[in-house]
Amino acid sequence: MEILSHAKALLQQAQAQSDEAEVFTIWEAKDEVSYENGRLKEIDSSIQCGAALRVIKGGKLGFAYAKNPDEPEALLRGALASLQGGAEAPPGFAGPPAAPLPSLDTVDADLEGVPTDAIVAECDRVVGWLKERVAGQVNINATRMVTRFGVLTSGGAELEGGATVYALSPQVLLPGSHAAVYRTFDAKGFAPTPEALLEHVARLYRATEQPAPPKPGRQQVLFLPESVYVLAWRLSAATSGQEVYEKASPVAERVGEQVLDGRITFYDDPLDDTVPGARAFDDEGTPTARLALYDKGVLRGFYADRLYAGKLGMAPTGHGHKATRWGGETVAIQPSPSLEHLVIAPGQVALDDMIGSMERGVIVVQPLGAHSGNIPNGDFSIGLSVGLTVENGEIRGLAKGAMVSGNVYETLGRVVAVGDRLSPASFGRFPAVLVDGVSVAAKDT
Amino acid sequence: MFDRLESILAKVDADYADVRYERRTATSVAFNGPELTRIGSSSTDGYVLRVLKQGGLATMAFTRFDDADEAVRKAAEHAALLARHAPEPVRLAEVEVVQETYAPELDIDPRTVPIEEKLELTRRYNAIALGFDKVVTTVTGYADIVREKHFASTEGARIREDLVTTRTGGGITAKEGALIQTVRVSLGGSHGFATVTGCEEAFEHKARIATELLAAEPVRGGSYSVVLNPLLAGVFTHEAFGHFSEADLLEDAPTMRERMQLGAKLGSDAVSIRDDPTLTGRLGHYAFDDEGVRARPTQLMKEGVLTGRLHSRRTAAAFGEPPSGHAVAEDCRYAPIVRMGTIFIEAGGTSFDGLLERMGDGLYLLDNKGGQTAGESFTFGAQYGYLVKGGKLDRMVRDINITGNLYETLQNIECVGDEVAYSRTGGCGKGQINLRSCYGAPHILVRNVIVGGV
């Protein structure tokens, strides 16, 4: 693959002027099709490439990046200049893998050639299906992405990979609002969005058509997969090797303890190639593996990149990623501990049975402001972009103007049930999670 | 560079096309706790092509000039596809065709400041926060980001503009027992290096707040009267109101559009809101947007009545309203979308003490942390606050998040303070990040706000 061809020359030059060198390189092509109010609105496309160079000299780190591959001298100059600042380097860059890396099935070779017309036709089909069943405005985002990347180190790692991802996210908007119910379908190749997913979206939308103000006070709260990231974010932050090293994690001293309910197993699984984006090595060239952070509620350990693993005296876990969850350009970001393939293990209970078991409570369909609580502490305090009120096992309607607050360690200590299906969502793939005794603030009615 | 851009435009067979090339150079320094984790300077560059043909407008971003032919081919193909499917052809509002170069006036150009000086400055700020006993860690950073933009269109526009952004700040985390509290420092601007020097007091003040929060009580959830400080009132203006002044979010959202009709009385008489990218010295300043349109101030709300909105050329034509020059892209990877420049609530006549007195009992909330909106609902966090009893500040409270309904809250703004302050860093996400999104407000008094508590 040509992805490494420019990188090799650069690595050789960098190696000559440092103790160790590492080149990360990426090429990405993307087409994004968006529908608003049931009609094709925009097609934005992009072909991007770039490279990042890290060097180590005397225990110090140098870093630089560029997009156009015709500027290797600038990249080298930048990395060597950056060395002068004296940032601490990881103990070393990756060497060749000790054992052959598993061969992952991550590329559907046909996706790149699928005409954009075909994606538009699929969007039309989804719009038609939903419009027959719901009165709300239908928006769709469909994305096709093809990525190739490689990591090359002076220690002998020479790794390349690729991924194809097709995703379609149908949304039905609430009237007078941009709040929406949605669910995302994703796959390695182009495929029709299953009707069961569309039916779920339609059903949720219909449930919002009647207003039903929630009552304030502690009650049961059902987080749908799309809102479970509120909880997963806090668990992820506190199990990062960086937070542990910086003494900002409330669970730093609790490895081996039962921290969460026994029904919560929280793990990262980069090698699962049944879903898009599996990775055999991270962005530093460290081999990956499945890592359980909480196994049946017991804290098992932390995840780290090479730098923080070194500081904590542990082996790197293959979680050094140039994570772009909050935007930014992949090559411009330095690797840091990051869970990119996060899962909460599914339980046994079907969604309908979870709702049926709720005497009184709120369903968080879409949270608002997941980022504004005290994340290191595990606290959350979210508004409801879309929430539903439940009474006597039945959805009564749209819960407006309420805030759901708690602490993730208390909340996930009071689990009532874990759903039996995973859905792709922000931060990972999650089941629905029903918990008890969560504070809901609302106007008294 | 314009020769290159013209050579790309010459290959396009369309009713209209434009192409932007930009180089973005970022210099950054970062500390995590006492350790320097990042220092250096790098550049990225690339092109963004937009093609309008028979009413279909497609965009294509690409890194390498060698990909220009492929970009032109694909953009034309997608424009044709859009033209076939779009219910109504896209039109671009008529604008002045500009051929101009604009370089912002800078107090000190950060490009002339050695990186060693930026490192020492950041080290000093970081040490101030770490000097507090209960502060366990910090994330302290410095960055300057220079966007050198070239814009050319088939209408003949040729524009060069530089955007220079400087920023410093980060998070300060204090801990006692199991309790962790984090506050933020956010300083910077659009007019040079002096916006990030001399900020010692701000770091000291915030480190003290982080420490004091360890002894504060969590706020009790419920419905309150609140006085928001300018940064919080500003983030409310941005999140709850500003995004629905962005015409691209309304264009194809008929039920929202119906509520946001010009002339609708949406707020109380106390509320007047403007957006003005031409304010030099504010973070949100620019002269031309990424469609080559000259920016102009826009009155969005006057005494509670909706009077205007923010437009791209496309939305201005679709709404039949004047273009405002608010189509802005994050960088060379993106086509422009409608963005706020500097949005602010205009000053009223009441002093801060007067607002507290008028409120009586309630909460005084300060400084934003996060914020999100989804149409009529919004949520955002306050870094800290105080109970107010009988118009007087009382004990400090922590863990404050508020939620509300846009329409109700605009009506519930009872009174507006007499002095506007503006944000000095940005980072608004709308598919792309806008580092220069600036908001401002005076102190405001709002009734019936839902506060979440643990």
Side-chain angles (χ1 to χ4, degrees):
Chain A
M1 215 186 274
E2 69 168 310
I3 191 87
L4 291 179
S5 61
H6 287 290
K8 280 182 182 161
L10 177 61
L11 185 78
Q12 277 176 359
Q13 289 175 1
Q15 207 172 344
Q17 300 188 54
S18 61
D19 301 338
E20 288 190 57
E22 174 206 85
V23 179
F24 170 89
T25 173
I26 186 163
W27 178 93
E28 195 173 87
K30 188 156 74 171
D31 298 291
E32 292 180 277
V33 175
S34 57
Y35 272 59
E36 286 185 19
N37 199 21
R39 302 187 294 205
L40 177 61
K41 170 120 189 203
E42 278 166 0
I43 304 176
D44 290 326
S45 302
S46 153
I47 308 172
Q48 304 284 313
C49 56
L53 171 65
R54 296 200 297 173
V55 293
I56 298 176
K57 195 170 184 180
K60 300 301 176 195
L61 179 71
F63 173 69
Y65 56 89
K67 294 197 62 151
N68 265 298
D70 51 3
E71 299 178 353
E73 303 80 15
L75 204 53
L76 183 58
R77 233 179 11 250
L80 294 173
S82 151
L83 264 179
Q84 307 305 317
E88 185 185 356
F93 296 134
L101 295 181
S103 158
L104 299 176
D105 174 17
T106 57
V107 173
D108 180 325
D110 294 337
L111 182 64
E112 204 168 349
V114 171
T116 313
D117 299 51
I119 297 174
V120 167
E122 165 67 357
C123 290
D124 280 337
R125 180 189 72 85
V126 169
V127 165
W129 196 98
L130 283 168
K131 288 213 90 112
E132 275 178 26
R133 288 159 181 87
V134 293
Q137 171 175 346
V138 178
N139 287 6
I140 296 181
N141 290 317
T143 306
R144 171 236 317 265
M145 190 149 79
V146 179
T147 311
R148 300 185 188 105
F149 48 88
V151 178
L152 206 59
T153 68
S154 54
E158 191 175 329
L159 303 165
E160 46 193 83
T164 56
V165 183
Y166 165 75
L168 187 144
S169 183
Q171 304 143 35
V172 186
L173 272 65
L174 273 50
S177 171
H178 278 103
V181 295
Y182 77 90
R183 178 150 284 184
T184 301
F185 168 71
D186 66 359
K188 288 177 276 187
F190 182 57
T193 298
E195 287 199 0
L197 185 151
L198 301 178
E199 180 54 51
H200 170 82
V201 171
R203 191 181 145 208
L204 275 181
Y205 177 79
R206 287 191 295 262
T208 66
E209 289 180 317
Q210 200 68 25
K215 293 199 171 64
R218 289 189 176 267
Q219 54 199 278
Q220 291 197 335
V221 170
L222 174 60
F223 290 88
L224 292 193
E226 287 80 6
S227 63
V228 166
Y229 80 93
V230 173
L231 307 171
W233 188 345
R234 281 139 183 92
L235 297 180
S236 302
T239 47
S240 159
Q242 182 171 345
E243 297 289 314
V244 171
Y245 174 75
E246 288 171 357
K247 301 189 169 53
S249 168
V251 297
E253 310 293 333
R254 301 188 65 188
V255 175
E257 289 180 32
Q258 185 86 39
V259 177
L260 309 174
D261 183 277
R263 275 162 290 192
I264 300 294
T265 291
F266 179 82
Y267 64 97
D268 192 73
D269 194 1
L271 298 176
D272 178 5
D273 64 359
T274 63
V275 295
R279 292 284 299 267
F281 58 93
D282 68 8
D283 292 345
E284 299 184 292
T286 307
T288 63
R290 186 183 193 276
L291 176 69
L293 297 156
Y294 290 96
D295 187 8
K296 297 188 172 122
V298 176
L299 179 63
R300 288 296 176 205
F302 308 112
Y303 61 95
D305 61 353
R306 302 187 78 82
L307 178 67
Y308 285 95
K311 287 170 178 290
L312 291 170
M314 60 189 269
T317 57
H319 290 91
H321 287 285
K322 294 167 165 288
T324 54
R325 187 171 288 138
W326 312 120
E329 169 106 45
T330 305
V331 289
I333 294 169
Q334 290 194 38
S336 67
S338 177
L339 300 170
E340 298 290 301
H341 303 85
L342 190 55
V343 181
I344 291 180
Q348 310 284 332
V349 188
L351 184 64
D352 284 345
D353 294 338
M354 292 171 109
I355 296 169
S357 76
M358 291 169 72
E359 203 172 300
R360 185 169 78 88
V362 166
I363 302 177
V364 185
V365 180
Q366 276 302 311
L368 257 192
H371 52 315
S372 51
N374 184 341
I375 291 169
N377 225 33
D379 299 334
F380 61 89
S381 189
I382 50 169
L384 299 178
S385 173
V386 183
L388 297 169
T389 308
V390 179
E391 273 174 24
N392 300 324
E394 283 185 22
I395 297 174
R396 296 292 175 201
L398 185 66
K400 269 194 184 181
M403 283 206 100
V404 173
S405 310
N407 177 283
V408 72
Y409 303 105
E410 290 169 22
T411 302
L412 288 182
R414 291 195 296 259
V415 173
V416 177
V418 177
D420 60 357
R421 280 189 194 184
L422 298 182
S423 287
S426 294
F427 282 76
R429 308 180 97 80
F430 304 122
V433 178
L434 176 61
V435 292
D436 200 4
V438 179
S439 162
V440 176
K443 285 176 188 162
D444 279 307
T445 48
Chain B
M1 179 47 64
F2 281 119
D3 292 349
R4 259 195 182 193
L5 299 188
E6 277 160 23
S7 77
I8 295 170
L9 290 177
K11 292 175 187 163
V12 182
D13 170 24
D15 303 320
Y16 168 87
D18 61 36
V19 61
R20 195 174 89 244
Y21 169 82
E22 65 174 271
R23 172 170 289 274
R24 180 188 194 272
T25 303
T27 301
S28 55
V29 176
F31 284 87
N32 281 2
E35 292 161 16
L36 175 70
T37 55
R38 174 172 189 145
I39 181 164
S41 187
S42 289
S43 293
T44 57
D45 67 326
Y47 304 80
V48 182
L49 172 70
R50 304 195 311 161
V51 171
L52 176 67
K53 190 169 184 182
Q54 289 162 355
L57 176 66
T59 73
M60 178 82 205
F62 56 102
T63 307
R64 302 182 321 143
F65 184 66
D66 291 352
D67 286 329
D69 288 347
E70 169 67 4
V72 167
R73 186 196 63 73
K74 206 163 180 181
E77 179 193 319
H78 286 165
L81 183 56
L82 282 155
R84 283 201 302 278
H85 280 75
E88 282 167 38
V90 170
R91 291 178 300 117
L92 300 180
E94 294 283 322
V95 294
E96 166 200 6
V97 174
V98 176
Q99 297 191 339
E100 218 174 296
T101 294
Y102 181 79
E105 206 169 297
L106 302 173
D107 44 39
I108 300 165
D109 187 337
R111 287 167 285 198
T112 65
V113 178
I115 197 163
E116 293 76 15
E117 197 175 327
K118 297 166 183 172
L119 173 62
E120 281 321 304
L121 182 78
T122 315
R123 195 190 297 280
R124 192 160 72 241
Y125 291 156
N126 190 46
I128 290 170
L130 285 172
F132 281 71
D133 274 355
K134 289 174 182 165
V135 170
V136 287
T137 192
T138 54
V139 179
T140 306
Y142 164 88
D144 57 65
I145 297 120
V146 179
R147 281 174 67 189
E148 297 167 301
K149 305 191 296 175
H150 293 73
F151 177 87
S153 77
T154 51
E155 291 171 337
R158 299 288 182 273
I159 301 174
R160 270 281 296 117
E161 180 166 356
D162 288 350
L163 296 177
V164 179
T165 312
T166 49
R167 52 197 281 151
T168 187
I172 301 173
T173 301
K175 187 177 180 195
E176 188 157 48
L179 180 65
I180 298 166
Q181 289 288 310
T182 298
V183 295
R184 293 186 195 156
V185 180
S186 308
L187 300 164
S190 63
H191 54 99
F193 189 68
T195 61
V196 293
T197 56
C199 302
E200 288 78 3
E201 257 179 48
F203 282 87
E204 198 171 326
H205 169 68
K206 273 308 187 55
R208 191 174 308 114
I209 294 290
T211 305
E212 287 173 9
L213 278 168
L214 296 172
E217 292 172 18
V219 70
R220 289 173 67 90
S223 175
Y224 289 88
S225 295
V226 299
V227 169
L228 305 181
N229 86 334
L231 279 181
L232 265 184
V235 86
F236 161 76
T237 311
H238 169 103
E239 290 294 346
F241 175 77
H243 279 301
F244 303 100
S245 296
E246 295 171 344
D248 58 348
L249 288 182
L250 295 180
E251 186 185 355
D252 286 302
T255 58
M256 277 293 281
R257 196 166 164 171
E258 202 181 305
R259 290 177 104 160
M260 298 291 282
Q261 287 195 21
L262 299 190
K265 172 85 167 143
L266 293 179
S268 77
D269 293 346
V271 189
S272 294
I273 300 174
R274 283 166 79 78
D275 188 288
D276 189 356
T278 70
L279 290 176
T280 54
R282 300 290 163 223
L283 178 68
H285 174 57
Y286 55 85
F288 303 99
D289 74 1
D290 291 324
E291 288 187 303
V293 179
R294 193 183 297 277
R296 64 171 190 80
T298 307
Q299 187 80 43
L300 301 170
M301 177 171 280
K302 188 77 191 168
E303 292 164 2
V305 176
L306 199 65
T307 53
R309 58 184 124 241
L310 308 176
H311 281 297
S312 64
R313 292 183 68 181
R314 171 182 182 160
T315 63
F319 281 78
E321 293 170 10
S324 63
H326 280 85
V328 170
E330 176 180 342
D331 60 24
C332 62
R333 294 171 297 155
Y334 296 101
I337 54 176
V338 180
R339 288 295 203 159
M340 290 167 250
T342 294
I343 189 169
F344 60 100
I345 300 182
E346 295 178 77
T350 311
S351 68
F352 171 59
D353 288 340
L355 289 175
L356 290 186
E357 206 169 298
R358 182 162 180 156
M359 176 169 74
D361 293 348
L363 295 169
Y364 174 42
L365 306 180
L366 296 94
D367 293 2
N368 58 301
K369 53 172 183 185
Q372 197 180 359
T373 179
E376 57 183 333
S377 304
F378 64 86
T379 292
F380 53 86
Q383 293 183 28
Y384 62 112
Y386 299 90
L387 294 173
V388 178
K389 290 183 179 167
K392 300 279 177 236
L393 292 185
D394 198 76
R395 293 192 308 277
M396 192 184 219
V397 288
R398 61 173 163 91
D399 301 334
I400 307 145
N401 286 280
I402 74 180
T403 193
N405 173 289
L406 162 65
Y407 305 107
E408 290 172 14
T409 307
L410 284 170
Q411 299 285 2
N412 288 343
I413 298 178
E414 186 175 297
C415 195
V416 168
D418 54 5
E419 202 175 332
V420 179
Y422 297 87
S423 63
R424 293 176 59 187
T425 62
C428 171
K430 184 181 167 186
Q432 313 173 22
I433 304 292
N434 182 5
L435 286 179
R436 287 164 71 101
S437 188
C438 180
Y439 45 79
H443 280 91
I444 63 172
L445 165 58
V446 195
R447 300 289 185 186
N448 291 319
V449 171
I450 298 282
V451 176
V454 180

